Amino acid sequence: MATVALTAANFDEVTSKDGIVLVDFWASWCGPCVSFAPTYERSSEKHPEITFGKIDTEAEPALAQKFDIRSIPTIMAVRDGIVVFSQPGALPASALESLIEKVAELDMDEVREQLAAQRKAKDATAAARG
């Protein structure tokens, strides 16, 4: 599968579905981004069951800001609508494959429980502060 251009208009629709969505935050002037692009494209062809999205941070500054992107390229993994990984830096092909394997192996029920516990603790802290 070829990569998909993600925009503010289609981001939520694409990333809220079940399954894995990888997101590459990039810009045309970024040397590491341009160098990483063929690796990302090859991986998208190897894994047609995964959606490989690309966000041009120049064209979509609001999305970059929403996810606090401070360095590009940044790779983000979304599984079943939940961001489970985000890290700046171009990945070598082997590291990208390892990331895909780890995201696929996640127990999403456990991830949801952890998120709920974090929200509950955050809410309790906020309530204690008054």
Side-chain angles (χ1 to χ4, degrees), residues 68-123:
D68 198 26
I69 303 302
R70 298 175 186 258
S71 179
I72 54 174
T74 290
I75 303 302
M76 186 171 76
V78 181
R79 172 132 178 241
D80 300 345
I82 300 170
V83 176
V84 295
F85 176 87
S86 183
Q87 177 179 305
L91 298 175
S94 60
L96 185 56
E97 288 301 313
S98 178
L99 171 62
I100 290 168
E101 289 173 18
K102 287 179 178 15
V103 171
E105 292 170 357
L106 286 173
D107 179 337
M108 291 308 292
D109 289 332
E110 188 176 306
V111 169
R112 286 183 198 89
E113 288 173 14
Q114 290 173 356
L115 286 173
Q118 288 173 1
R119 277 191 216 107
K120 188 174 181 180
K122 185 177 178 182
D123 291 346

Side-chain angles (χ1 to χ4, degrees), residues 33-55:
C33 298
V34 173
S35 296
F36 177 64
T39 301
Y40 195 69
E41 189 69 35
R42 280 191 298 275
S43 188
S44 76
E45 293 166 1
K46 184 177 177 182
H47 298 281
E49 74 284 5
I50 295 173
T51 300
F52 284 75
K54 293 180 73 76
I55 296 176

